[in-house]
Amino acid sequence: MLVDMNGKDLICTQEISVKEIKAILKLASEMKSDRYGEKYNSLLKDKTFLMFFYNPSLRTRISFEAAATELGGHAQFLEPAAMRLRKTKGGIEVQAGETIEDVAKVLDRYGCGIGIRILETAVENYGEGDALLREFAKYMKIPIINMADDKYHPCQGLADVMGMREHKGNLNGKTILMTWAHGSLARSYCSVHENLLITSRLGMNVRLAYPKGYDLPEEEIAKVKANCEVNDRKFEIYHNPDEAYTKEVEFVYSRNWFGPDFYEIGKQSEIERASKMTNWICTEERMKRTNEGLFTHPMPVDRGKEVTDEVASGPRSIIIDIAENRLHIQKAIMAMIIAGLKVEI
Ligand code: CP
């Protein structure tokens, strides 16, 4: 079957088909094994991919820039702070400037595609970042790629499963433990949501562990449960980190996320609350209780809090491979949705 994603937006992997996910993964693997080959190195020739960052980034910015270069094109970095965007609060203008509609329609004439990142402290309420991406998409004909908003991080989720498959083969029927961890970064949900959605979509059992009070948004958990049901897989919740690490677990993803009241209590209060729960950390002793479990994380890792150095730098850590895969996944996405490359699966 030939998979055609030409012109599509990518905001969350839950919004594309499993066939499309498999096509992106297949092409990314091919591109990884033929990184500078002539087959792919002019797919974006003479074209400019635009990147809009409301928040900092290491991996996403550099891997998208490298991806555009390796496809024969160019990636242009845009910082909203350096532009003149109109800002409103509760419907009232607090900063005069251009509307999203005008900015989007103009950029649409310059670029071949656009990536946007907006999350955590760049928004005032949960969901505003994702809504902004969809607002841009409404006015643009060129494809939009979500480079992490406050709900989803599709490129990260795809890179996660690509790395997991490289190390343990077919993921169908295997179990991932997604566990909350203490830390001082007060992280949003995008990478966690995306991993839960895509692993459950690909037939994995999902085990979620977090302290009481750190529930993830109900609408996303409902989707993960539905994905597990469709595949006849288990979805479990634990509130004790020691009980969550068992022989069924093949992957451990230990990551901080903020509580549901984050936007009311603020970053400092969240950090103070989370920092006290030091028992929520991935350790070598806990990893030994799993089925030769591999440690995964989207990075940046909060070492000594989310995970010990011993695990993060140890032989069972696949975090650097996954970070590398961001490059190959993004090349595959751009090749398919911008250059119109079709993939046989
Ligand atoms: N994982 C990830 O998106 O990393 P950056 O925030 O450094 O881009």
Side-chain angles (χ1 to χ4, degrees):
M1 181 197 177
L2 203 56
V3 178
D4 180 1
M5 296 184 73
N6 194 19
K8 281 202 169 190
D9 296 331
L10 181 55
I11 294 182
C12 174
T13 57
Q14 188 74 18
E15 296 168 22
I16 61 174
S17 68
V18 171
K19 286 188 176 67
E20 287 170 330
I21 290 173
K22 288 184 174 165
I24 294 169
L25 291 171
K26 184 180 177 211
L27 181 59
S29 296
E30 285 169 14
M31 287 176 150
K32 187 171 183 175
S33 54
D34 183 20
R35 182 159 171 189
Y36 301 107
E38 284 182 8
K39 200 168 166 190
Y40 308 114
N41 69 6
S42 58
L43 287 172
L44 291 190
K45 189 172 180 304
D46 300 329
K47 293 189 173 154
T48 301
F49 180 73
L50 306 171
M51 307 189 300
F52 232 47
F53 279 92
Y54 288 80
N55 299 80
S57 163
L58 171 75
R59 279 145 291 271
T60 304
R61 177 177 175 179
I62 306 301
S63 58
F64 262 105
E65 286 189 8
T69 304
E70 291 180 21
L71 294 175
H74 166 70
Q76 184 163 355
F77 178 76
L78 300 144
E79 208 180 353
M83 303 188 321
R84 291 171 299 240
L85 279 170
R86 179 170 183 254
K87 219 174 154 194
T88 56
K89 197 169 181 182
I92 297 163
E93 186 178 86
V94 292
Q95 181 183 297
E98 291 192 278
T99 61
I100 297 293
E101 176 180 348
D102 289 343
V103 172
K105 285 180 174 172
V106 170
L107 292 178
D108 201 46
R109 305 285 174 101
Y110 299 149
C112 61
I114 183 167
I116 302 178
R117 161 167 292 201
I118 178 162
L119 68 161
E120 289 166 357
T121 47
V123 299
E124 285 169 9
N125 296 292
Y126 173 65
E128 281 178 4
D130 187 69
L132 181 114
L133 240 84
R134 292 176 198 274
E135 177 85 358
F136 268 96
K138 201 167 83 184
Y139 297 115
M140 299 183 97
K141 293 186 191 77
I142 59 172
I144 286 203
I145 302 173
N146 183 354
M147 298 195 302
D149 68 22
D150 53 351
K151 287 183 160 187
Y152 311 117
H153 197 352
C155 303
Q156 186 62 56
L158 284 156
D160 291 347
V161 291
M162 181 176 172
M164 290 160 68
R165 279 158 47 130
E166 286 169 340
H167 285 272
K168 287 223 182 202
N170 190 351
L171 301 181
N172 195 21
K174 295 194 166 71
T175 298
I176 183 162
L177 165 62
M178 169 69 72
T179 172
W180 185 89
H182 80 290
S184 34
L185 290 175
R187 299 180 192 265
S188 69
Y189 309 126
C190 61
S191 301
V192 168
H193 280 168
E194 200 66 56
N195 183 281
L196 292 171
L197 289 167
I198 196 167
T199 54
S200 58
R201 206 83 186 288
L202 295 182
M204 292 190 74
N205 298 303
V206 171
R207 183 176 294 182
L208 198 49
Y210 55 90
K212 286 188 176 151
Y214 276 84
D215 301 79
L216 291 164
E218 265 176 44
E219 60 175 10
E220 302 308 324
I221 292 305
K223 290 178 203 167
V224 177
K225 279 185 188 165
N227 291 343
C228 288
E229 272 169 32
V230 164
N231 291 320
D232 201 17
R233 297 289 172 241
K234 277 197 272 190
F235 174 82
E236 304 167 300
I237 293 182
Y238 286 68
H239 292 301
N240 179 333
D242 279 311
E243 289 170 7
Y245 289 75
T246 67
K247 269 286 166 243
E248 282 172 288
V249 172
E250 304 220 29
F251 297 95
V252 176
Y253 188 130
S254 176
R255 167 89 167 175
N256 174 258
W257 64 79
F258 52 57
D261 55 357
F262 172 76
Y263 289 103
E264 289 142 47
I265 66 169
K267 190 167 180 173
Q268 201 46 44
S269 300
E270 172 59 43
I271 289 169
E272 280 164 24
R273 178 173 66 188
S275 301
K276 291 183 189 131
M277 291 183 267
T278 52
N279 190 32
W280 287 85
I281 180 169
C282 176
T283 62
E284 190 65 29
E285 191 275 326
R286 284 177 172 162
M287 288 298 282
K288 279 186 184 144
R289 295 184 217 156
T290 66
N291 184 8
E292 299 188 351
L294 298 175
F295 176 72
T296 178
H297 190 288
M299 303 182 85
V301 178
D302 199 357
R303 284 170 178 254
K305 291 169 183 163
E306 292 178 320
V307 60
T308 59
D309 279 331
E310 194 181 11
V311 174
S313 297
R316 308 209 64 77
S317 170
I318 59 170
I319 59 177
I320 304 299
D321 292 338
I322 284 174
E324 180 195 331
N325 286 344
R326 291 290 306 277
L327 169 71
H328 309 299
I329 284 290
Q330 289 152 200
K331 282 173 74 176
I333 292 168
M334 288 200 280
M336 292 188 74
I337 71 173
I338 299 173
L341 194 72
K342 296 174 187 58
V343 177
E344 186 72 44
I345 58 164

